[in-house]
Amino acid sequence: MSKERKITYVSMLTSEDTHAEYEKAVREVETKYFGKHYSMYIAGREVFSEYGEFEDRSPIDTSIIVGYFQKGSREHVREAIDKAYESFPIWANHDWRERVKIMQNASKLIDERKYEIAAIITYEVGKNRMEALAECYEAIDALRYYAKVMQENNGYEKELGPGGPGEKCRMICKPYGVWVVISPFNFPFMLANGMIQGALLTGNTVVFKPTSEAPLTGLILYKLFIDAGVPAGVLNYVTGPGDVFEDEIITNKKVAGIAFTGSRDVGMRLYRRFTSSQPYPKPIILEMGSKNPVIVTSKADLDKAVQGVIRAAFGYSGQKCSATSRVYVQKDIAEKFIKRLIEEAKKIKVGDPRNRDVFMGPVINRRALESYMNYIEVARKDGGSIIHGGQVLRDGELARGFYVEPTIITGLDRNHELFRKELFVPILLVDMFNNLEEALREANNTDYGLTAGIFSEDPQEIEYFLKNIEFGVTYVNRRGGATTGAWPGAQTFVGWKASGATGKGVGGPNYLLSFMREQSITIVKEG
């Protein structure tokens, strides 16, 4: 992101006009969208399921019914794949410059409707206004960035060679075919946008299944792409049970690739089933979360460290793949750091995210609430100290939603399951270390490898960290978020080990390559 763009983004999020526009959108979307019955879209046609509908209720207040969405069947998924397969030859041969224009159009449409989109995100997944608007801005920048990347690479056509006399050689990257895109709840707009645009921009067609926690956000995104110029059939929108969807896509020979963001368990199951069910190797792009560490050394600026950890651990209720979930602090500053960490945690306002002063809204659903309660119970039973938080909030306006306290735990053995398992709720574990070698060893002692951070003002400690950390996204002294906040064109968001499958991160210059395969062309001219 350019310096000018960043200044504009930050200033807009802090302006009174922004707050007024967002609050207006919050009022208007209830009347415009809520409580209605929505269809799926296959080849541009509205499709309703004979298997009925499911309710989409807000985690802010479960009495709010966002809408009713279709329980798509395996037959619906198959039809969507068939239509995407039929549309592929025309879209693949579309001039890449025209596809670039369509993505640029989409970015403009999102910019025009960002407040409405942000309001819907808030209602569906419980993000506060700053987080919801930031997601819209990120989607805008991602579309613009990848349009630029496509242009800079000349549509991925490159002259090579010659390999021999009279040979004219070139390399061209071409799309695979039909991609299935499966998006998560925590960034229901941006992460879906990233996967869909990656596939479409490179000439693939898409069957899109949004998370059932945010189907309206997914529908709005689908319609934005269609309004921007994506032809019917090139992008299809199907909702419903994940198991029905999964059973069809892993065996359907017309599926060329899968792009998935979600849990490790589901991602690895998709990987194993897809690779074993298809007649030959096909690409699968996976982003599967993490267990992200932060190291705070005795040479850290504690103001930076405390703020960076608090924002990364408890932003969006700890429900980010990049959330800080464990902190290793050097023993000689541990008491001071923990005291200040608790002080900052006490300042966090938990409540209805539609309210301007709220930092932390609800967790996504009852299952997440129950997981939080279970983890707290396990920590207590196994000797952990709950030094802040640990309670479910049920009083007043919070009674109908899924609200919990930001929680800090110390005293657990560093090999305890809570140090190993991705929790995806606002729970932060703190441990202590003697030297940096020990801290790095513990930080790397996980199957995951998405984001990691360090706070130190010592260049040698920073260099040692960067050389030895086994994570794809690294941050040094980041006050704004110790492990969170990757942005298109600035940080490539790439998971190592169990956190990813391709080694190419969204937001970086190599992401589009995951959706294409190379073809070498050699033409020999005699004489």
Side-chain angles (χ1 to χ4, degrees), residues 22 56-61 66 118-132 135 185-186 188 213-214 217 314-317 319 350-355 358-365 402-403:
Y22 171 85
D56 175 24
R57 291 179 178 265
S58 174
I60 297 171
D61 179 341
V66 175
I120 293 170
I121 291 171
T122 294
Y123 272 108
E124 282 205 296
V125 301
K127 285 192 174 182
N128 68 38
R129 65 185 63 190
M130 296 295 101
E131 292 168 329
E135 186 169 344
F185 77 82
N186 59 340
E213 304 292 349
T217 301
F314 302 126
Y316 189 46
S317 303
Q319 298 175 121
V350 181
D352 186 330
R354 292 172 294 186
N355 296 334
V358 165
F359 176 77
M360 205 175 99
V363 293
I364 189 64
N365 54 29
F402 305 116
Y403 296 90

Side-chain angles (χ1 to χ4, degrees), residues 314-523:
F314 302 126
Y316 189 46
S317 303
Q319 298 175 121
K320 298 179 182 180
C321 305
S322 56
T324 298
S325 57
R326 50 196 176 111
V327 175
Y328 299 97
V329 57
Q330 202 149 15
K331 283 185 177 178
D332 53 356
I333 62 163
E335 184 177 351
K336 184 185 297 185
F337 173 80
I338 290 170
K339 180 182 178 182
R340 292 175 67 170
L341 196 68
I342 294 170
E343 289 171 355
E344 285 301 309
K346 287 179 178 177
K347 297 176 185 177
I348 293 174
K349 171 71 173 177
V350 181
D352 186 330
R354 292 172 294 186
N355 296 334
R356 181 171 177 171
D357 62 339
V358 165
F359 176 77
M360 205 175 99
V363 293
I364 189 64
N365 54 29
R366 185 166 301 281
R367 185 170 61 254
L369 184 77
E370 291 171 352
S371 292
Y372 172 90
M373 295 166 62
N374 177 62
Y375 297 144
I376 298 298
E377 182 181 347
V378 167
R380 287 196 173 108
K381 178 175 68 68
D382 293 344
S385 297
I386 315 298
I387 61 173
H388 178 74
Q391 300 297 317
V392 175
L393 302 175
R394 296 190 172 96
D395 294 336
E397 65 175 8
L398 307 185
R400 292 194 298 271
F402 305 116
Y403 296 90
V404 301
E405 290 182 321
T407 299
I408 304 169
I409 301 174
T410 61
L412 283 176
D413 186 277
R414 58 178 50 162
N415 291 314
H416 191 278
E417 65 170 317
L418 296 186
F419 268 103
R420 300 284 164 257
K421 183 177 181 180
E422 184 180 37
L423 306 182
F424 233 62
V425 289
I427 293 177
L428 176 67
L429 304 174
V430 181
D431 192 18
M432 291 173 279
F433 68 89
N434 293 300
N435 55 61
L436 191 54
E437 291 82 0
E438 177 191 353
L440 262 294
R441 184 172 62 250
E442 291 308 316
N444 289 332
N445 186 20
T446 174
D447 289 340
Y448 292 107
L450 185 54
T451 67
I454 187 172
F455 287 91
S456 172
E457 301 300 317
D458 184 333
Q460 290 184 322
E461 288 187 339
I462 292 168
E463 182 181 8
Y464 183 83
F465 169 81
L466 293 173
K467 283 184 176 179
N468 292 281
I469 194 71
E470 296 171 0
F471 284 70
V473 190
T474 60
Y475 297 101
V476 177
N477 295 325
R478 200 157 192 259
R479 186 193 296 267
T483 59
T484 57
W487 201 267
Q491 292 93 11
T492 178
F493 195 69
V494 55
W496 289 15
K497 300 188 286 188
S499 293
T502 67
K504 300 180 182 70
V506 64
N510 299 316
Y511 182 62
L512 295 181
L513 293 171
S514 297
F515 294 93
M516 297 182 288
R517 49 189 170 183
E518 294 180 23
Q519 185 177 65
S520 174
I521 300 171
T522 300
I523 300 173

